[in-house]
Amino acid sequence: MHVSPLIEKELNDSVRILYLNAYSGLFISFIASTGIVFGFSDKSFTSVTDKLIWWFIMVVVLGIRFIDVYYFKRSSKAASYVDLYRFSLSVTLTALIWCCYGLYFHSSFSVLELTSIILIFSALGGGSANILSAHRPTCFIYAFLLLIPYSVLLTLSEEHYQNVLGVLGIGFGFVTLIALHKAANFTQNAIHLKNQNIELLELMEQRVELRTQEIYHLSNSDSLTQLLNRNAFLKESKKGYRDTLMNHLRCYLLT
């Protein structure tokens, strides 16, 4: 399928912005996942073991993403849809792992841990406006998976404070999605205008060059015969004479 040069440039810029911001997102995810696993004590050995397994899976996924980002940033080739889909899928996988943590370990959470999870999910979802705004579907899916499923689970709880946190989480989730929509619009418009201006500038330079060639041709050719006119003939003669003289002088100096 043929893609216009403008779309290719916009795709390249979008993907490079995503990868450029990836390091900060990976670092925050690693710190947050490590903090919630090792920062809270669990009485159940099974729960501790399961959390360590979850943390190991998260670290492996983040490590693979880190390697992908490292090699992409070292590459000089233009970004493609394959790069975009690979990045989007890895971000979605990270969001699913976060989502599974809240849903799977919910019954073992203390009040402090549950509140911390909601705050972490909200911070990660809100932060995606800066990190993932270059691709609207990716940032929408990431924020939705972080905030909505677990918040809905909290609203179904028998505990009143969990219901309140769930409603707040859902409300914040929809506000975040609106903010992500605006951030994505701003980023995409900025990328589009940048590449459109570059394309217009290149087109203007081409037209100026063609116009210059036309003016030169009109001023140095006879309108009837299209041969060199008197002024152009004299210029070419002087140029040829000067070149011949310089060649003779060069030969004389070399001998």
Side-chain angles (χ1 to χ4, degrees), residues 135-145 176-178 180-181 184:
H135 190 235
R136 189 195 315 274
T138 301
C139 63
F140 269 43
I141 293 172
Y142 183 80
F144 182 88
L145 289 175
T176 300
L177 292 177
I178 294 174
L180 290 176
H181 175 72

Side-chain angles (χ1 to χ4, degrees), residues 64-84:
I64 293 174
R65 288 184 59 194
F66 179 88
I67 294 173
D68 175 49
V69 172
Y70 175 78
Y71 280 103
F72 178 85
K73 294 181 72 172
R74 286 176 59 89
S75 173
S76 57
K77 68 179 182 67
S80 65
Y81 281 105
V82 174
D83 300 313
L84 176 62

Side-chain angles (χ1 to χ4, degrees), residues 46-242:
T46 303
S47 179
V48 172
T49 304
D50 289 346
K51 285 185 177 181
L52 288 175
I53 294 174
W54 176 90
W55 179 79
F56 178 77
I57 295 173
M58 174 64 83
V59 170
V60 169
V61 171
L62 294 178
I64 293 174
R65 288 184 59 194
F66 179 88
I67 294 173
D68 175 49
V69 172
Y70 175 78
Y71 280 103
F72 178 85
K73 294 181 72 172
R74 286 176 59 89
S75 173
S76 57
K77 68 179 182 67
S80 65
Y81 281 105
V82 174
D83 300 313
L84 176 62
Y85 296 150
R86 184 176 65 249
F87 183 90
S88 181
L89 287 174
S90 64
V91 170
T92 302
L93 179 59
T94 306
L96 281 172
I97 296 173
W98 276 116
C99 180
C100 290
Y101 184 88
L103 298 178
Y104 183 80
F105 297 106
H106 171 72
S107 59
S108 65
F109 288 160
S110 63
V111 176
L112 178 60
E113 188 173 2
L114 188 149
T115 306
S116 300
I117 294 299
I118 285 292
L119 291 176
I120 290 173
F121 284 4
S122 299
L124 291 174
S128 63
N130 295 323
I131 298 175
L132 303 174
S133 61
H135 190 235
R136 189 195 315 274
T138 301
C139 63
F140 269 43
I141 293 172
Y142 183 80
F144 182 88
L145 289 175
L146 280 173
L147 293 167
I148 303 303
Y150 188 56
S151 297
V152 171
L153 177 64
L154 291 177
T155 60
L156 301 177
S157 173
E158 296 179 355
E159 298 289 342
H160 177 67
Y161 77 93
Q162 293 187 16
N163 298 152
V164 173
L165 289 175
V167 172
L168 291 176
I170 292 174
F172 182 78
F174 282 108
V175 171
T176 300
L177 292 177
I178 294 174
L180 290 176
H181 175 72
K182 293 181 178 180
N185 279 344
F186 177 83
T187 303
Q188 291 298 322
N189 288 335
I191 293 173
H192 177 71
L193 288 175
K194 172 210 165 188
N195 287 284
Q196 191 176 51
N197 289 337
I198 293 175
E199 193 174 64
L200 288 173
L201 182 60
E202 292 176 350
L203 181 60
M204 290 176 62
E205 290 176 348
Q206 292 174 1
R207 289 182 176 178
V208 169
E209 184 178 354
L210 289 174
R211 187 58 180 166
T212 302
Q213 293 176 357
E214 290 178 1
I215 293 173
Y216 178 82
H217 177 73
L218 291 173
S219 62
N220 289 278
S221 63
D222 183 77
S223 60
L224 180 62
T225 64
Q226 297 301 313
L227 299 175
L228 293 177
N229 58 21
R230 183 174 179 276
N231 291 331
F233 180 78
L234 291 176
K235 289 180 183 178
E236 292 296 326
S237 299
K238 290 179 180 179
K239 180 181 178 182
Y241 174 77
R242 185 171 59 253

